[in-house]
């Protein structure tokens, strides 16, 4: 597996990867209202351009094509910078270790730019690697959607049983 930054020639493949990952995560994805489908996708042209310039976003590729992407950015918090990983998307048949490799690429880029704090959702694909890196969790990572997405956004609602 190779890890590298991406560019405009990769946009089409990244958009296809995103749709594939969404369909894998939710087999009913194609039946959702258009607004919800668009809200779950991470690869609009403006988002791709933004994360391309972030210097912390990477793709994983092998001889068959793109197998995953980490979308991350610098965030200044007033007293120190962090790198925020928005998402790590994987092809449904991505080889084991792809998420971990993408995470490691973001760790290296953060460290190389003198940023020593990463924030990210600890997904099942990242749990073992995050644990191995000594990740601490101050509490659950939550996303509060506003408007109509409150009813259709993916994820477990706080206060509901597992």
């Amino acid at each position: 597996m190779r890890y590298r930054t991406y560019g405009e020639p990769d946009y089409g493949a990244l958009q296809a990867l995103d749709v594939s990952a969404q369909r894998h995560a939710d087999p009913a994805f194609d039946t959702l209202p258009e607004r919800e489908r668009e809200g779950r996708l991470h690869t609009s042209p403006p988002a791709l351009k933004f994360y391309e310039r972030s210097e912390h976003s990477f793709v994983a590729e092998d001889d068959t094509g793109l197998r995953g992407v980490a979308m991350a950015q610098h965030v200044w918090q007033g007293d120190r910078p962090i790198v925020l990983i928005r998402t790590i998307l994987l092809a449904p048949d991505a080889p084991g270790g792809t998420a971990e490799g993408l995470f490691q690429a973001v760790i290296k880029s953060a460290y190389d730019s003198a940023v020593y704090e990463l924030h990210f959702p600890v997904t099942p694909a990242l749990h073992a690697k995050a644990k191995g890196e000594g990740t601490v969790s101050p509490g659950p990572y939550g996303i509060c959607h506003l408007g109509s997405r409150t009813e259709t956004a993916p994820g477990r609602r706080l206060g509901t049983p597992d």
Side-chain angles (χ1 to χ4, degrees):
M1 191 67 59
R2 296 174 301 278
Y3 301 93
R4 62 172 175 82
T5 57
Y6 67 85
E8 196 167 332
D10 297 307
Y11 287 10
L14 286 166
Q15 290 169 327
L17 173 71
D18 193 3
V19 170
S20 179
Q22 299 303 326
R23 287 176 176 154
H24 183 72
D26 183 355
F29 176 77
D30 290 323
T31 67
L32 296 170
E34 181 178 356
R35 185 173 179 181
E36 179 60 25
R37 287 191 315 269
E38 289 174 0
R40 292 186 187 192
L41 295 172
H42 304 278
T43 54
S44 68
L48 288 170
K49 184 54 106 178
F50 174 80
Y51 286 102
E52 176 186 354
R53 291 189 309 256
S54 77
E55 300 178 12
H56 296 293
S57 296
F58 298 90
V59 294
E61 72 177 343
D62 61 17
D63 294 337
T64 65
L66 297 183
R67 313 305 283 148
V69 61
M71 301 174 88
Q73 64 173 311
H74 269 104
V75 177
W76 177 248
Q77 301 203 124
D79 59 350
R80 69 183 176 276
I82 66 168
V83 169
L84 172 66
I85 299 175
R86 175 184 180 184
T87 192
I88 292 183
L89 294 170
L90 301 174
D93 59 348
T98 303
E100 294 89 340
L102 286 164
F103 186 61
Q104 190 63 47
V106 176
I107 288 172
K108 182 174 180 350
S109 74
Y111 191 83
D112 288 351
S113 63
V115 177
Y116 304 111
E117 191 172 325
L118 275 75
H119 290 231
F120 60 98
V122 182
T123 62
L126 286 180
H127 191 269
K129 178 68 174 168
K131 184 178 176 183
E133 290 292 333
T135 299
V136 298
S137 177
Y141 182 92
I143 300 171
C144 180
H145 293 279
L146 306 176
S148 63
R149 288 217 56 222
T150 301
E151 300 302 318
T152 57
R156 186 179 59 81
R157 302 215 183 283
L158 294 179
T160 60
D162 287 337

